[in-house]
Amino acid sequence: MKLSQQHLNTFSTCPRRFQYTYLELLISPLSPDKEERLTWGNRFHLLMQQRELGLPIDNLIDEDSELGKDLKALVNAAPDLFNQDSNIDSSEQNFREAEHQRTLTFGNHLLVGVYDLLIAEKNTAQILDWKTYPRPQNPTRIIQNWQTRLYPYLLVETHNYLPEQVSMTYWFVQSRKNYKPQSLELPYNNQKHQQTHQDLSELIDKLDDYLLRYEQGEFFPQIEITAQSCQSCPFALRCQRIPEIEENIGEVSKFNGEKLPNLAKIEEIQI
């Protein structure tokens, strides 16, 4: 399988949800609000990619003036980052590319990461990612998220950089009045690299075991009913978790009738 950070996050959260999402491809439409947020996020990422490639962006800004305001706010917040030339500068041994992809064979699977922007110099490398929502108050979930862990890991494993020479920076942007983009830089080191390798090995070994059992007719396991993720999971009805939540926890279900996610339109998950 090709395993992205989304696959790893889903499997870590709930193996049964992984089964429904990526093995059985169960789908359902998004709500209008989620659809709008997804569309805006996709347009912003496209705007940043075309700007980095030196392609015209006027048509995108003309269609949505807020995109232009958000781009200007981001450039003003990080002028040193965006006032650089794109592509390869052989004399300085620099490399800069939007939507840069890295892959690594890991066991029977292929780990895949797509960086919104990679800036690689001789002795340092920055991985940048655009998040189209405000910066979270608590960075713990960001640090623990598989995107934060996988992306630097892939770069170190596929290049001659030392872990300490790599960093990952999230830029949080949102189309909102008087909002200023904020960043969170997360340095990398050898300890994190070794821990990520160990955790990946254990996680993928577990995945291989579940896949083998699945081929023999056994479902992936569910998480504990007390887990908070069950309350917002689109598969709660399929897993018969809503009645159990109401009976065992005493909480009223807040589901809006959406039983299954649409994999063709995956909203950016806030981490």
Side-chain angles (χ1 to χ4, degrees), residues 11 18 35 106 108 130 140 156 161 174 190 200 224:
F11 184 73
F18 181 94
E35 181 83 23
F106 199 104
N108 297 320
W130 322 127
T140 301
V156 171
Y161 288 115
Q174 186 186 54
N190 187 63
L200 270 173
E224 295 294 331

Side-chain angles (χ1 to χ4, degrees), residues 126-183:
Q126 298 180 66
I127 302 168
L128 295 109
D129 192 85
W130 322 127
K131 293 299 180 191
T132 52
Y133 49 82
R135 174 176 170 172
Q137 296 293 324
N138 188 348
T140 301
R141 291 182 62 187
I142 301 176
I143 295 172
Q144 297 175 346
N145 189 275
W146 269 110
Q147 183 178 19
T148 302
R149 306 182 66 191
L150 178 65
Y151 281 19
Y153 178 85
L154 286 176
L155 187 57
V156 171
E157 288 291 313
T158 58
H159 202 278
N160 58 1
Y161 288 115
L162 298 175
E164 288 76 11
Q165 295 176 319
V166 175
S167 67
M168 181 159 185
T169 302
Y170 291 101
W171 275 97
F172 298 89
V173 298
Q174 186 186 54
S175 180
R176 191 174 66 184
K177 186 177 181 179
N178 297 326
Y179 178 82
K180 294 183 179 180
Q182 299 182 51
S183 65

Side-chain angles (χ1 to χ4, degrees), residues 10-243:
T10 301
F11 184 73
S12 299
T13 301
C14 178
R16 180 68 63 85
R17 183 168 183 169
F18 181 94
Q19 171 192 322
Y20 290 149
T21 303
Y22 297 110
L23 300 183
E24 300 179 4
L25 304 179
L26 300 178
I27 61 175
S28 75
L30 292 174
S31 67
D33 288 343
K34 290 182 178 180
E35 181 83 23
E36 183 178 356
R37 290 196 299 269
L38 173 65
T39 300
W40 189 89
N42 289 340
R43 289 177 63 82
F44 183 83
H45 279 79
L46 178 61
L47 175 71
M48 297 303 296
Q49 180 184 8
Q50 291 198 184
R51 181 190 183 278
E52 193 66 33
L53 293 173
L55 298 176
I57 60 175
D58 292 343
N59 59 330
L60 293 173
I61 295 176
D62 290 342
E63 292 178 6
D64 187 348
S65 61
E66 292 300 321
L67 284 176
K69 295 178 182 178
D70 297 327
L71 172 60
K72 183 178 180 180
L74 183 56
V75 172
N76 289 339
D80 294 339
L81 180 64
F82 294 103
N83 291 335
Q84 301 179 29
D85 293 331
S86 303
N87 303 321
I88 297 176
D89 183 344
S90 58
S91 63
E92 298 294 335
Q93 295 184 317
N94 293 346
F95 177 82
R96 182 182 175 107
E97 185 175 67
E99 298 299 312
H100 179 83
Q101 179 172 295
R102 288 272 160 167
T103 61
L104 174 69
T105 300
F106 199 104
N108 297 320
H109 307 281
L110 186 70
L111 299 176
V112 180
V114 180
Y115 309 154
D116 287 344
L117 180 62
L118 173 65
I119 302 177
E121 301 180 2
K122 183 178 180 180
N123 296 316
T124 60
Q126 298 180 66
I127 302 168
L128 295 109
D129 192 85
W130 322 127
K131 293 299 180 191
T132 52
Y133 49 82
R135 174 176 170 172
Q137 296 293 324
N138 188 348
T140 301
R141 291 182 62 187
I142 301 176
I143 295 172
Q144 297 175 346
N145 189 275
W146 269 110
Q147 183 178 19
T148 302
R149 306 182 66 191
L150 178 65
Y151 281 19
Y153 178 85
L154 286 176
L155 187 57
V156 171
E157 288 291 313
T158 58
H159 202 278
N160 58 1
Y161 288 115
L162 298 175
E164 288 76 11
Q165 295 176 319
V166 175
S167 67
M168 181 159 185
T169 302
Y170 291 101
W171 275 97
F172 298 89
V173 298
Q174 186 186 54
S175 180
R176 191 174 66 184
K177 186 177 181 179
N178 297 326
Y179 178 82
K180 294 183 179 180
Q182 299 182 51
S183 65
L184 177 63
E185 181 176 0
L186 300 171
Y188 200 52
N189 57 46
N190 187 63
Q191 181 181 358
K192 292 180 180 179
H193 190 74
Q194 296 303 321
Q195 186 64 55
T196 297
H197 181 82
Q198 178 180 332
D199 293 345
L200 270 173
S201 298
E202 294 175 357
L203 194 69
I204 290 181
D205 283 346
K206 185 182 296 184
L207 173 61
D208 287 338
D209 179 54
Y210 291 166
L211 286 171
L212 180 60
R213 294 170 181 265
Y214 182 73
E215 292 176 355
Q216 298 171 350
E218 183 178 332
F219 277 20
F220 279 36
Q222 296 173 302
I223 57 176
E224 295 294 331
I225 184 61
T226 54
Q228 293 183 356
S229 56
C230 284
Q231 302 177 43
S232 58
C233 179
F235 299 107
L237 288 176
R238 178 174 288 272
C239 288
Q240 300 179 335
R241 285 300 177 90
I242 291 182

